[in-house]
Amino acid sequence: MNIMLFGAPGAGKGTQAKFLIEKYDIPQISTGDILRAAIKAGTVMGLEAKKFMDEGKLVPDSTIIGIIKDRLTEKDCTDGFILDGFPRTIPQAEALEKLMKGMKISLDRVISLNVPDDLIVDRITGRRVCPKCGASFHVEFNSPKVTDICDYCGGTLIIRKDDTAETVVNRLASYHAQTAPLFDFYSDRGIMVEVDGTKNVLEVKEDIFKILG
Ligand code: AP5
Ligand code: MG
């Protein structure tokens, strides 16, 4: 099964991806996580991307498309994958379509996690993430079992560098200008399904499981 999670920054893509990995045993492909790993490793690509990410702007399409080309052809993607935070622009979506066509595969479902902007700032400023496995938690809405420790891998949780109230404004602006048009792109292809992302984490999970079966 090839799934894409679609939604604004902080909508819950990463949180729901973790449940889908467990249920379907397919990998999560988060371009944000791949970029953060490149920054940590100090690669040229990572250092270039960092400038955009720190300002809440999108990283150029050519960089992102290159990352995805490499990642989709890895062995663990043979039985499917969960795209999280990609594509984010129409050129990225077109490149993905072309790439998947060449691989003789297609996207089965795009799940839109609908959350209004006014809830996003609280979600992002209270987020804690695991630098080891990428899991997301929230100090109030989705707290880990042990304070600041990842439920999944035991890593010590941190605050993401771009999770500031100032950067969120830019990330939301980028989302509305460049990413939101993908809603129509995938609706036109008949694979878009909307989920109320304002429900609690487990209710959203159940709604997604019902859709995917
Ligand atoms: P990325 O890492 O993808 O960040 P993002 O899109 O801004 O999304 P987030 O990870 O912030 O949100 P999420 O939807 O995963 O929410 P989460 O589940 O954590 O990208 C970072 C940057 O990299 C971008 O700004 C850009 O610069 C660059 N980039 C990445 N991909 C790119 C691309 N394709 N093209 C160009 N540039 C790219 O949840 C958020 C919080 O809410 C958590 O605290 C969580 O616990 C909580 N929460 C989750 N669900 C619920 C719920 N139902 N109720 C209450 N709280 C909830
Ligand atoms: Mg995420």
Side-chain angles (χ1 to χ4, degrees):
M1 178 153 25
N2 303 319
I3 309 160
M4 172 193 166
L5 294 172
F6 176 78
K13 304 181 292 295
T15 303
Q16 295 301 327
K18 288 285 175 224
F19 299 130
L20 296 175
I21 297 171
E22 282 186 349
K23 180 159 165 121
Y24 296 104
D25 196 23
I26 51 177
Q28 167 194 18
I29 302 179
S30 157
T31 38
D33 286 349
I34 294 171
L35 291 167
R36 281 183 287 278
I39 293 173
K40 204 171 164 198
T43 67
V44 175
M45 186 266 279
L47 294 177
E48 201 46 45
K50 186 176 185 304
K51 295 182 214 153
F52 295 94
M53 293 169 77
D54 285 350
E55 286 183 30
K57 292 183 182 158
L58 293 185
V59 173
D61 287 338
S62 54
T63 306
I64 299 291
I65 293 165
I67 290 174
I68 287 291
K69 272 188 182 155
D70 291 344
R71 185 64 186 90
L72 287 192
T73 47
E74 280 180 37
K75 219 176 154 200
D76 63 338
C77 293
T78 319
D79 293 334
F81 45 79
I82 306 150
L83 294 175
D84 162 6
F86 173 87
R88 260 167 139 111
T89 63
I90 296 283
Q92 289 181 19
E94 288 169 344
L96 176 67
E97 226 167 38
K98 201 172 152 202
L99 181 66
M100 291 182 81
K101 204 172 165 197
M103 296 169 73
K104 298 193 174 19
I105 54 173
S106 55
L107 272 181
D108 297 300
R109 280 272 181 269
V110 176
I111 299 194
S112 173
L113 295 170
N114 296 344
V115 179
D117 285 6
D118 56 1
L119 295 184
I120 295 291
V121 176
D122 280 351
R123 282 196 183 190
I124 285 190
T125 51
R127 171 161 57 186
R128 298 291 181 272
V129 296
C130 176
K132 267 171 83 184
C133 76
S136 270
F137 299 88
H138 191 281
V139 288
E140 188 184 343
F141 310 139
N142 181 26
S143 51
K145 291 189 185 91
V146 179
T147 307
D148 288 339
I149 300 296
C150 177
D151 287 356
Y152 296 93
C153 75
T156 302
L157 304 181
I158 57 161
I159 298 176
R160 239 169 72 177
K161 195 161 183 290
D162 58 345
D163 277 353
T164 62
E166 300 76 52
T167 311
V168 174
V169 174
N170 291 343
R171 283 160 64 192
L172 279 171
S174 303
Y175 171 75
H176 288 294
Q178 293 168 275
T179 308
L182 291 179
F183 186 89
D184 287 344
F185 182 94
Y186 286 113
S187 298
D188 289 348
R189 280 150 180 79
I191 54 172
M192 174 62 89
V193 196
E194 293 182 76
V195 168
D196 178 359
T198 66
K199 294 185 185 175
N200 75 41
V201 169
L202 295 179
E203 288 170 332
V204 175
K205 168 185 151 181
E206 287 311 319
D207 287 349
I208 295 176
F209 281 7
K210 266 185 226 151
I211 290 164
L212 297 176

